[in-house]
């Protein structure tokens, strides 16, 4: 077995990623092909991004048609697909207004900015602090790495941006310190993705929400990995009994076309007036066309119900496998965001799956294998993956 991160040929791209020794050149549905035409079953979905599989034909058609009309015009003009996508996001969420950008980190930047500005310009107080959680992941820009509760992500970039405080996740007792006099918002993932696929406990979320609502502190839910159907509902917050003030999304919104968005309730959205925030590319005609068609497909009646049947089937089989295999300590997550806690380095299993069985899966921390199939994956593809996983475990 080769080293999982072999660099085969040096390229003039900054080495910010550990890349697997594979070059992918084509994708369709649940499969990708490398430059030697070797076919892989892709249960990573480009890290929770290609939720409808690779190159969903309806999204491809919509982008192709838009390519013949207008690619970019800036936000100095109205953009029909941007308006339509905003209307659809608002119709399917508890939010009222949308800001478009190009990535998850940018969506969280926008959330951090609007939370502070809401405190300072709408509520007229001097609150600024945003509470986040240990092992969270909110992005790689300076503000979002400062929001991220992981020292390794912040290392070498000090000083981190001030104004963040980190509490342990799922820790009921720690909620005693949730809100300080300067706290304007609390920001969290409802399943910590990069941090090890850890779902938030219902009772913990309930108490967190109770305190925030009582003390008028904004709740920002980072749905960048959990959103767009990944956990079984369009947004993960729908599975908890509350409405966030701010939701951030990216990844699955554009089926692989780069796009991010920050959705806010009306009162909060007032904090952004012309000139307070912006992005040249944010919400451009091509990106919002991809997003609009993707969202229409995700919201097709019965689509999520059908995909949830496939994920329930996968969960059942993985739980059976966990009972038989000493290697798997726990199966956790929600919907098609699944973590297997294992008793060995997860990367070894990921490497074996790829090199010996042409199955692409991921890690989420040293001892967690992360499985992110497209929502559209079929039962036959699930069986194919299960046969491989059974072999490995
Ligand atoms: C929960 C969460 N937030 C934010 C981000 C950052 O998104 P992006 O890489 O698009 O900036 C990610 C990316 O993995 C994520 O999983």
């Amino acid at each position: 077995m080769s080293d999982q991160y072999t660099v085969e040929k040096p390229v003039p791209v900054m080495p910010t990623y550990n890349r697997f020794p594979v070059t992918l050149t084509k994708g369709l549905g649940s499969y990708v092909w490398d430059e030697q035409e070797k076919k892989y079953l892709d249960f990573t979905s480009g890290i929770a991004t290609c939720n409808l599989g690779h190159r969903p034909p309806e999204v491809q058609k919509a982008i192709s048609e838009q390519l013949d009309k207008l690619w970019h015009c800036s936000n100095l003009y109205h953009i029909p697909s941007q308006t339509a996508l905003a209307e659809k996001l608002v119709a399917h969420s508890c939010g009222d207004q949308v800001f478009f950008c190009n990535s998850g980190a940018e969506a969280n930047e926008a959330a951090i900015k609007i939370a502070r500005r809401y405190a300072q310009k709408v509520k007229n107080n001097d609150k600024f602090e945003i509470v986040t959680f240990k092992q969270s992941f909110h992005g790689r820009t300076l503000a979002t790495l400062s929001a991220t509760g992981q020292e390794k992500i912040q290392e070498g970039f000090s000083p981190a941006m001030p104004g963040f405080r980190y509490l342990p996740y799922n820790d009921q007792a720690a909620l005693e310190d949730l809100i300080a006099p300067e706290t304007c918002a609390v920001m969290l993932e409802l399943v910590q993705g990069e941090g090890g696929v850890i779902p938030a406990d219902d009772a913990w979320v309930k108490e967190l929400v109770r305190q925030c609502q009582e003390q008028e502190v904004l709740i920002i839910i980072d749905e960048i990995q959990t959103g767009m159907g990944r956990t079984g509902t369009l947004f993960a917050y729908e599975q908890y009994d509350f409405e966030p003030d701010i939701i951030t999304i990216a990844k699955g919104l554009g089926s692989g076309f780069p796009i991010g968005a920050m959705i806010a309730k009306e009162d909060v959205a007032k904090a952004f007036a012309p000139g307070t925030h912006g992005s040249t590319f944010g919400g451009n005609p091509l990106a919002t066309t991809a997003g609009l068609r993707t969202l229409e497909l995700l919201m097709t009646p019965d689509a999520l119900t059908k995909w949830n049947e496939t994920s329930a089937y996968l969960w059942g089989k993985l739980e059976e496998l966990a009972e038989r295999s000493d290697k798997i300590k726990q199966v956790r997550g929600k919907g098609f965001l699944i973590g297997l806690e294992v008793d060995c380095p997860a990367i070894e299993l990921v490497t074996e799956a790829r090199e010996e069985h042409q199955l692409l899966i991921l890690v989420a921390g040293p001892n967690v294998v992360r499985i992110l199939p497209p929502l559209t994956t079929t039962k036959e593809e699930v069986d194919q993956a299960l046969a491989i996983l059974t072999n490995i475990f």
Side-chain angles (χ1 to χ4, degrees):
M1 206 182 296
S2 73
D3 171 4
Q4 63 268 19
Y5 290 138
T6 313
V7 176
E8 286 168 332
K9 46 184 181 218
V11 289
V13 176
M14 290 204 189
T16 57
Y17 305 99
N18 276 321
R19 292 180 202 264
F20 298 122
V22 176
T23 305
L24 297 177
T25 53
K26 194 173 79 180
L28 189 64
S30 303
Y31 294 93
V32 287
W33 286 260
D34 71 10
E35 54 189 351
Q36 279 88 39
E37 289 289 318
K38 195 165 160 190
K39 186 178 176 184
Y40 298 82
L41 179 58
D42 182 8
F43 271 24
T44 73
S45 303
I47 321 185
T49 296
C50 305
N51 286 4
L52 298 170
H54 290 275
R55 272 195 297 137
E58 298 89 342
V59 181
Q60 182 165 352
K61 182 164 174 281
I63 297 172
S64 309
E65 284 169 7
Q66 188 60 42
L67 277 172
D68 285 336
K69 293 184 199 156
L70 180 67
W71 295 12
H72 180 78
C73 61
S74 90
N75 282 303
L76 297 176
Y77 306 93
H78 292 282
I79 299 171
S81 52
Q82 185 182 111
T83 310
L85 177 56
E87 282 170 352
K88 213 164 180 55
L89 283 170
V90 164
H92 290 291
S93 73
C94 61
D96 301 300
Q97 299 217 332
V98 185
F99 174 82
F100 287 106
C101 50
N102 313 287
S103 68
E106 273 184 72
N108 284 338
E109 283 274 346
I112 292 163
K113 278 183 74 175
I114 206 168
R116 284 189 173 184
R117 204 174 151 88
Y118 176 72
Q120 293 167 29
K121 293 290 178 185
V122 180
K123 302 292 260 183
N124 292 316
N125 60 44
D126 51 8
K127 296 183 181 183
F128 60 87
E129 182 191 71
I130 300 183
V131 174
T132 66
F133 294 90
K134 301 215 168 120
Q135 296 309 120
S136 59
F137 184 75
H138 297 298
R140 298 280 190 171
T141 62
L142 198 50
T144 58
L145 75 81
S146 305
T148 293
Q150 296 188 51
E151 272 169 30
K152 70 168 196 262
I153 304 281
Q154 298 181 358
E155 202 188 309
F157 298 111
S158 57
M161 204 183 111
F164 295 98
R165 183 161 56 90
Y166 320 99
L167 288 184
Y169 192 70
N170 272 343
D171 185 331
Q172 200 79 20
L175 291 183
E176 281 177 20
D177 299 323
L178 182 64
I179 297 168
E182 61 276 16
T183 310
C184 69
V186 172
M187 176 163 163
L188 69 150
E189 300 152 88
L190 288 169
V191 180
Q192 287 192 328
E194 303 301 308
V197 191
I198 302 171
D201 293 341
D202 290 340
W204 180 74
V205 173
K206 197 168 174 195
E207 173 57 16
L208 179 152
V209 169
R210 189 193 66 74
Q211 289 190 29
C212 288
Q213 288 176 346
E214 199 174 275
Q215 302 198 45
E216 295 188 11
V217 164
L218 298 178
I219 304 173
I220 306 170
I221 299 296
D222 178 339
E223 295 263 10
I224 288 155
Q225 191 152 155
T226 54
M228 312 323 292
R230 174 63 47 194
T231 62
T233 43
L234 185 62
F235 301 110
Y237 79 80
E238 295 168 52
Q239 297 173 49
Y240 295 80
D241 191 20
F242 77 103
E243 293 190 352
D245 302 286
I246 300 170
I247 305 160
T248 54
I249 51 176
K251 288 188 179 284
L253 178 57
S255 291
F257 208 99
I259 180 168
M262 184 270 289
I263 311 172
K265 289 215 179 246
E266 191 157 19
D267 189 39
V268 178
K270 274 191 240 153
F272 269 2
T276 52
H277 198 46
S279 158
T280 297
F281 291 124
N284 103 343
L286 285 172
T288 45
T289 295
L292 180 61
R293 199 68 195 103
T294 300
L295 185 55
E296 282 166 357
L297 293 167
L298 287 170
M299 290 290 95
T300 304
D302 301 330
L304 279 169
T305 312
K306 191 172 127 211
W307 300 331
N308 287 342
E309 280 166 20
T310 324
S311 73
Y313 174 74
L314 174 56
W315 270 85
K317 294 282 178 188
L318 286 174
E319 274 160 357
E320 272 171 42
L321 182 60
E323 268 171 35
R324 293 200 308 272
S325 166
D326 295 341
K327 268 193 198 158
I328 305 176
K329 292 208 225 138
Q330 196 187 20
V331 186
R332 62 185 184 229
K334 281 183 190 293
F336 274 129
L337 172 45
I338 305 172
L340 304 179
E341 192 182 327
V342 293
D343 74 346
C344 61
I347 191 68
E348 285 177 15
L349 301 164
V350 168
T351 304
E352 187 180 337
R354 186 189 67 249
E355 292 199 342
E356 289 173 31
H357 306 280
Q358 281 131 264
L359 171 68
L360 304 185
I361 47 177
L362 291 167
V363 301
N367 296 104
V368 181
V369 171
R370 188 167 30 154
I371 303 178
L372 301 165
L375 312 185
T376 49
T377 199
T378 63
K379 200 162 157 284
E380 291 68 38
E381 289 159 355
V382 165
D383 282 336
Q384 193 189 338
L386 281 164
I388 296 166
L389 293 172
T390 305
N391 194 318
I392 293 172
F393 286 109

